[in-house]
Amino acid sequence: PKLLAEHRSSALFGAVVIAMLWASIFLKYVEDRNDDLVQARQTAHSFSMVFEENVIRSIDELDTTLLYFRRQIEDAGPSPDYNKILHKIDVPPDIVVQVGIIDSKGMMRASTAGRQPAPVLDLHDRDHFQTQLHATEDHLFISRPVIGRASREWSIQLSRRISYHGEFGGVVVASLNPDHFTKFYTRVDLPFSESIALIGEDGIVRAAGGTARDHRMGENIRGTPLFTVMRAGVNRTFELRDAQSTPARIVTLRRVGNLPLWVMVSLNKDEVIADSLRGFRIAAAGGLLLTLLILAAMEFMFRTEDGARQKSKQLEATSRAMARLASEDALTGMLNRRGFQDALEHA
């Protein structure tokens, strides 16, 4: 502290150098961190768009199949051969668990699952039947994940209403394998863990996947901040941290076309900024070393300057002592002739 007080200008210069060093390290970290976050948001946005397109394409393909079967049934009249109609086309087994036909009383009359011909099952209590039974207009219904009574597997039921001259004639249903939506994304090699989910407007998760798997199939997210954002009805990319999402995650929510579905992609924020934080730690270690070197150099400079000042003072004192001795008598201490003449001239 004493040396700093005696060398204020040099100390100030050293402090400015150290401050500039640490400011540059911190600003570089902030820049790298922001770049990582921007890139992560773009990744989540692009990922969600691909996910949305995959969902739309898959559901459109199944809906086209349902419409085809329905047309065949309605054209065949009130007593169609359900099994014959159902086996006219091949259904991809990796996407569809089964395709079935349910009559107006809720009894399944034909199915592509299990032994053939399929046994009659009572499905009148299922949502995909009840919704179409009480529907006032033709629409595609997408159910919550359920275990099929014919297939014995988890599936999402897609159904269309069958009508005979305006009267309810039953339901044609396709059971979609939920893993179809997410199994591809589980293999995507991202530098950080991701979580994806297909969520209905009712807050029930239809499908979930990714390496992080923040959600599970059938989970109810109503009452969570994620559901609140979804209810706003706007596609968004935002940062989410709540009791169910620790650490913070970068989340993108997108509505799936005109369907009552949303796709969600989330990335671990800590993993996103891990590289920039690692770089900051390395830079901080180097900055600390440079700071110590600067402080050591400042102390050496201060002590060198202090030593030079002390020598200068000693030389001045020696010079004054020699001048005094040259002007005084060594025995009496009084001015000698030279001293007297100098004093006289000065007077």
Side-chain angles (χ1 to χ4, degrees):
K2 182 179 180 181
L3 291 176
L4 290 174
E6 293 176 351
H7 305 272
R8 293 181 181 179
S9 59
S10 299
L12 181 61
F13 175 75
V16 170
V17 172
I18 293 174
M20 291 178 62
L21 170 65
W22 283 101
S24 63
I25 291 173
F26 181 74
L27 290 175
K28 183 64 169 61
Y29 165 66
V30 171
E31 181 181 357
D32 291 345
R33 183 177 183 273
N34 290 338
D35 289 344
D36 289 343
L37 290 174
V38 169
Q39 184 176 0
R41 285 174 172 266
Q42 293 173 348
T43 299
H45 177 74
S46 302
F47 211 9
S48 67
M49 291 182 65
V50 175
F51 190 15
E52 178 195 9
E53 289 298 323
N54 182 33
V55 172
I56 291 175
R57 183 174 61 253
S58 299
I59 292 180
D60 281 349
E61 289 177 359
L62 288 183
D63 193 27
T64 300
T65 301
L66 292 178
L67 292 172
Y68 170 79
F69 283 133
R70 185 177 72 174
R71 172 59 67 87
Q72 295 295 315
I73 295 169
E74 292 175 348
D75 290 347
S79 301
D81 186 343
Y82 292 126
N83 284 294
K84 182 178 180 181
I85 293 173
L86 201 58
H87 292 86
K88 277 189 174 182
I89 63 173
D90 293 328
V91 179
D94 60 327
I95 300 177
V96 179
V97 176
Q98 72 153 345
V99 176
I101 300 173
I102 307 172
D103 65 18
S104 60
K105 296 181 180 180
M107 307 302 291
M108 190 179 72
R109 296 298 180 181
S111 172
T112 58
R115 61 187 179 87
Q116 299 296 320
V120 177
L121 289 176
D122 185 1
L123 300 175
H124 80 279
D125 59 329
R126 289 291 201 179
D127 288 345
H128 56 275
F129 176 81
Q130 287 292 324
T131 300
Q132 298 294 1
L133 175 63
H134 299 291
T136 57
E137 58 183 21
D138 182 31
H139 73 282
L140 175 68
F141 173 75
I142 303 174
S143 77
R144 302 177 181 183
V146 295
I147 296 179
R149 290 176 183 167
S151 64
R152 308 289 183 181
E153 298 179 27
W154 280 102
S155 60
I156 300 173
Q157 311 290 346
L158 281 66
S159 67
R160 281 281 185 178
R161 175 190 178 98
I162 301 172
S163 298
Y164 293 115
H165 306 291
E167 297 294 327
F168 178 69
V171 170
V172 58
V173 57
S175 302
L176 176 63
N177 184 354
D179 289 339
H180 166 71
F181 291 124
T182 59
K183 63 182 180 181
F184 169 77
Y185 302 98
T186 304
R187 300 191 298 268
V188 174
D189 186 19
L190 288 178
F192 27 75
S193 61
E194 83 286 349
S195 175
I196 62 174
L198 179 64
I199 308 170
E201 286 188 340
D202 55 2
I204 304 300
V205 177
R206 264 56 174 180
T211 56
R213 288 187 175 271
D214 290 335
H215 300 282
R216 62 185 184 277
M217 185 174 62
E219 179 183 353
N220 188 344
I221 67 165
R222 281 177 294 199
T224 65
L226 180 63
F227 185 71
T228 301
V229 174
M230 191 178 75
R231 292 287 291 173
V234 179
N235 297 341
R236 283 186 59 189
T237 297
F238 57 99
E239 185 175 319
L240 177 67
R241 184 190 292 273
D242 59 16
Q244 288 78 32
S245 180
T246 303
R249 304 193 68 82
I250 298 170
V251 179
T252 294
L253 269 176
R254 287 185 64 84
R255 187 181 181 91
V256 182
N258 296 321
L259 300 173
L261 298 171
W262 289 77
V263 293
M264 183 218 71
V265 174
S266 72
L267 307 175
N268 188 315
K269 182 181 177 182
D270 288 350
E271 293 181 9
V272 168
I273 63 175
D275 286 343
S276 56
L277 185 59
R278 191 178 301 111
F280 172 72
R281 288 171 177 167
I282 295 173
L288 179 61
L289 179 60
L290 286 175
T291 300
L292 293 175
L293 291 175
I294 292 173
L295 291 174
M298 288 172 61
E299 182 174 5
F300 177 76
M301 180 180 65
F302 293 165
R303 293 190 181 281
T304 300
E305 290 180 355
D306 191 59
R309 186 179 295 107
Q310 292 297 330
K311 288 182 179 180
S312 178
K313 290 179 179 179
Q314 290 177 0
L315 289 175
E316 289 179 2
T318 301
S319 178
R320 287 196 297 271
M322 292 179 65
R324 180 174 56 81
L325 291 175
S327 302
E328 294 179 354
D329 180 72
L331 181 62
T332 62
M334 297 177 64
L335 291 175
N336 58 19
R337 182 179 297 176
R338 179 180 177 182
F340 176 76
Q341 289 178 348
D342 291 338
L344 184 61
E345 289 176 1
H346 177 71

